[in-house]
């Protein structure tokens, strides 16, 4: 029994001392409205992440070494919270038992980084599908944001975070300014 406890302790200490993989801060910012378009219209909000892989960045240093980097935050939850805040600023209210629903589907979020000692190229893309559904029907919209950035030297994590968050904020701004979506939710919710 003593040997088992000692072996388990060693395994635990070894796991704790293993180097932790780098992670990025994913902090999308909601675009807040100055005025309500509705007054307490309710909806339920759900989201899903259908990306094939959970990393948010792929770093290619050109030496047959491609390193994935994950987000510290849950991508689905971060985007759901930002969109919820946006809708609430427009006068909508989240409710569990509403007959109106908004579903967010994260289809793609990735920053591809190719870098060497002298330069870096970053390409970011976010694809988000939003479905607003009522008993009278539904509206499905796909929002796509992309960003490119080139720089000298290799890309730092803070530069990758900047591009990652910029592309998310671009898509959130597109959702906030979508008159068709606002009109649909305003009329039917």
């Amino acid at each position: 029994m003593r040997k088992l406890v000692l072996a388990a302790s060693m395994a635990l200490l070894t796991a704790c001392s293993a180097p932790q993989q780098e992670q990025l801060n994913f902090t999308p910012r909601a675009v807040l409205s100055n005025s309500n378009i509705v007054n307490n219209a309710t909806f339920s909000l759900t989201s899903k992440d259908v990306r094939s892989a959970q990393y948010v960045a792929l770093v290619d240093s050109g030496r047959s070494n491609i390193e994935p980097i994950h987000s510290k935050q849950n991508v689905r939850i971060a985007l759901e919270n930002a969109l919820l805040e946006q809708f609430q600023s427009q006068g909508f209210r989240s409710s569990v038992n509403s007959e109106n629903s908004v579903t967010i589907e994260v289809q793609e979020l990735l920053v591809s980084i190719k870098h060497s000692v002298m330069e870096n190229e970053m390409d970011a893309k976010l694809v988000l599908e939003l479905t607003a559904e009522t008993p009278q029907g539904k509206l499905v919209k796909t929002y796509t944001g992309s960003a490119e950035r080139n720089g000298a030297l290799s890309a730092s994590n803070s530069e990758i975070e900047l591009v990652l968050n910029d592309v998310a904020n671009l898509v959130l701004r597109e959702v906030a300014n979508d008159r068709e979506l606002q009109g649909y939710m305003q009329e039917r919710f």
Side-chain angles (χ1 to χ4, degrees):
M1 180 70 174
R2 193 173 189 181
K3 288 182 181 179
L4 182 62
V5 170
L6 186 61
S9 299
M10 291 294 288
L12 188 61
L13 287 173
T14 305
C16 290
S17 67
Q20 296 296 313
Q21 203 171 19
E22 292 183 60
Q23 292 184 325
L24 301 172
N25 271 318
F26 180 60
T27 53
R29 281 192 318 270
V31 178
L32 302 179
S33 175
N34 294 329
S35 59
N36 290 351
I37 60 171
V38 295
N39 190 13
N40 282 331
T42 62
F43 70 99
S44 63
L45 182 64
T46 56
S47 62
K48 53 187 167 186
D49 190 344
V50 296
R51 296 176 298 146
S52 58
Q54 297 305 304
Y55 50 78
V56 293
L58 274 179
V59 181
D60 181 357
S61 54
R63 294 180 295 274
S64 302
N65 184 22
I66 298 177
E67 176 190 351
I69 304 177
H70 294 266
S71 170
K72 289 180 186 173
Q73 295 79 10
N74 182 306
V75 168
R76 178 188 64 79
I77 292 172
L79 286 167
E80 181 181 313
N81 288 340
L83 283 164
L84 178 61
E85 197 177 338
Q86 275 183 208
F87 290 135
Q88 287 175 336
S89 78
Q90 295 172 341
F92 294 97
R93 191 170 50 83
S94 178
S95 171
V96 180
N97 55 1
S98 176
E99 61 183 13
N100 305 314
S101 69
V102 173
T103 305
I104 305 156
E105 186 176 279
V106 183
Q107 296 180 341
E108 186 178 343
L109 176 60
L110 184 65
V111 181
S112 297
I113 303 103
K114 289 184 180 169
H115 73 147
S116 64
V117 178
M118 300 306 288
E119 65 179 356
N120 69 70
E121 294 175 15
M122 290 187 267
D123 292 313
K125 186 173 183 183
L126 170 60
V127 178
L128 193 71
E129 185 181 89
L130 196 140
T131 305
E133 192 166 0
T134 69
Q136 294 84 33
K138 68 179 174 179
L139 173 70
V140 179
K141 302 274 307 229
T142 301
Y143 301 93
T144 304
S146 59
E148 291 180 13
R149 183 175 173 168
N150 299 327
L153 307 175
S154 60
S156 68
N157 277 0
S158 61
E159 291 172 316
I160 298 169
E161 283 175 3
L162 184 68
V163 172
L164 179 68
N165 289 310
D166 279 353
V167 78
N169 294 337
L170 182 73
V171 168
L172 289 173
R173 200 171 315 117
E174 192 180 337
V175 172
N177 296 327
D178 186 341
R179 297 283 177 225
E180 184 183 10
L181 177 65
Q182 285 178 0
Y184 186 88
M185 292 173 71
Q186 190 175 12
E187 289 170 20
R188 293 177 171 83
F189 279 23

